[in-house]
């Protein structure tokens, strides 16, 4: 499995199929092999921007095998983290992760197609890496996901920088800000892969904002 295959998905069903066959080796063949530093960068960004007292629950969108949750749980040991993903095989990997003290990294793992009907829930914050990208989740879905976080809650969402403008994420965030739904997004680019990766230089834009309405 390589990055070209990951970027060739077009529909939620393609994602389900791809990640079903990739889940067992994803950590070795993708995270390790590509020096994938993005989950750590997102978790650190969250920890720097979001006050501990502001959040007790967070939802990890497209949690996959749980890389983002693992780093976040290390930084915020008592934070309750739930993970949503379309792939039961990826969720099964995330379910094996433990915090220091042996409690699970994720309190709840939910199999859901995030482009379809959403469960009713209200988190204090949302975090995501690697899921707003080629053929995965687009700007309309991001806007629909605003409802999963309470008014005043936080979003720290990574979006592939190549798509930030071309797929309309920047425009969607501007419309949401102009219409009073969210605070003005603070956008910062980060490396997706480390310097030893053949893909070093690919960037993600981390958008940080709050729900205001
Ligand atoms: C590249 S992986 C990123 C996983 C993890 N966040 C990480 O950084 O390692 C993208 C994840 O998005 C999930 N995904 C893709 N389409 C989805 C959809 N429509 N609904 C929910 N999850 C989806 C995939 O199953 C996969 O686990």
């Amino acid at each position: 499995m390589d990055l070209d295959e990951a970027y060739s998905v077009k529909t939620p069903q393609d994602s389900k199929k791809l990640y079903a066959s990739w889940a067992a080796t994803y950590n070795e063949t993708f995270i390790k092999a590509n020096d994938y530093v993005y989950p750590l960068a997102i978790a650190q960004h969250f920890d720097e921007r979001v006050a501990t007292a502001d959040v007790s629950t967070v939802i990890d969108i497209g949690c996959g095998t749980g890389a983002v949750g693992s780093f976040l749980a290390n930084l915020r040991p008592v934070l309750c983290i739930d993970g949503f993903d379309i792939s039961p095989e990826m969720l099964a990997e995330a379910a094996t992760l433990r915090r220091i003290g042996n409690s699970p990294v994720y309190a709840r793992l939910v199999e859901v197609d995030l482009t379809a009907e959403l469960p009713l829930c209200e988190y204090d914050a949302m975090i995501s890496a690697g899921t707003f990208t080629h053929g995965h989740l687009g700007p309309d879905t991001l806007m629909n996901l605003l409802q999963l976080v309470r008014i005043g809650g936080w979003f720290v969402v990574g979006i592939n920088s190549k798509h930030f403008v071309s797929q309309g994420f920047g425009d969607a965030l501007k419309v949401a800000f102009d219409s009073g739904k969210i605070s003005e997004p603070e956008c910062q680019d980060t490396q997706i892969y480390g310097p030893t990766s053949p893909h070093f230089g690919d960037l993600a834009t981390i958008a940080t904002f709050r729900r205001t309405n």
Side-chain angles (χ1 to χ4, degrees), residues 22-27 64-66 88-97 109:
W22 202 3
T25 58
Y26 177 90
N27 292 345
T65 57
E89 294 82 2
M90 295 291 270
L91 290 169
E93 296 295 323
T96 65
L97 300 174
L109 289 162

Side-chain angles (χ1 to χ4, degrees), residues 6 9 11-13 15-16 19 22 26-27 30-31 36 38-39 60-68 84-87 90-91 112-116 128-131 133 135-137 141:
V9 303
T11 67
Q13 286 321 308
S15 283
K16 246 183 126 109
Y19 290 103
W22 202 3
Y26 177 90
N27 292 345
F30 181 67
I31 294 188
Y36 180 62
Y38 187 12
D60 179 3
I61 289 296
C63 61
T65 57
V68 172
F84 283 11
D85 201 285
I86 198 170
S87 166
M90 295 291 270
L91 290 169
V112 58
D113 176 0
L114 292 160
T115 66
S128 183
T131 304
T133 187
H136 288 53
L137 302 185
T141 302

Side-chain angles (χ1 to χ4, degrees), residues 43-192:
Q44 286 174 332
H45 201 87
F46 184 101
D47 191 45
E48 283 157 15
R49 300 293 188 293
V50 181
T52 307
D54 265 7
V55 291
S56 51
T57 60
V58 61
I59 173 74
D60 179 3
I61 289 296
C63 61
T65 57
V68 172
S70 296
F71 288 120
L72 193 58
N74 274 338
L75 293 164
R76 297 280 175 101
V78 297
L79 184 61
C80 173
I81 309 172
D82 286 354
F84 283 11
D85 201 285
I86 198 170
S87 166
E89 294 82 2
M90 295 291 270
L91 290 169
E93 296 295 323
T96 65
L97 300 174
R98 290 288 175 276
R99 301 180 184 219
I100 296 162
N102 212 34
S103 62
V105 164
Y106 290 95
R108 219 163 56 106
L109 289 162
V110 180
E111 182 186 333
V112 58
D113 176 0
L114 292 160
T115 66
E117 196 179 337
L118 297 174
L120 277 179
C121 38
E122 225 180 35
Y123 290 91
D124 294 326
M126 178 177 294
I127 191 167
S128 183
T131 304
F132 294 98
T133 187
H134 304 256
H136 288 53
L137 302 185
D140 293 348
T141 302
L142 176 57
M143 291 302 107
N144 200 30
L145 293 175
L146 295 180
Q147 65 184 283
L148 297 182
V149 171
R150 67 168 167 79
I151 293 172
W154 285 87
F155 293 78
V156 178
V157 175
I159 299 163
N160 187 293
S161 298
K162 268 193 199 148
H163 296 321
F164 190 83
V165 174
S166 69
Q167 302 288 311
F169 284 98
D171 286 346
L173 289 170
K174 186 175 181 318
V175 169
F177 170 59
D178 289 345
S179 60
K181 285 188 189 154
I182 63 170
S183 62
E184 185 162 19
E186 176 219 313
C187 292
Q188 188 177 304
D189 284 353
T190 190
Q191 293 287 341
I192 298 177

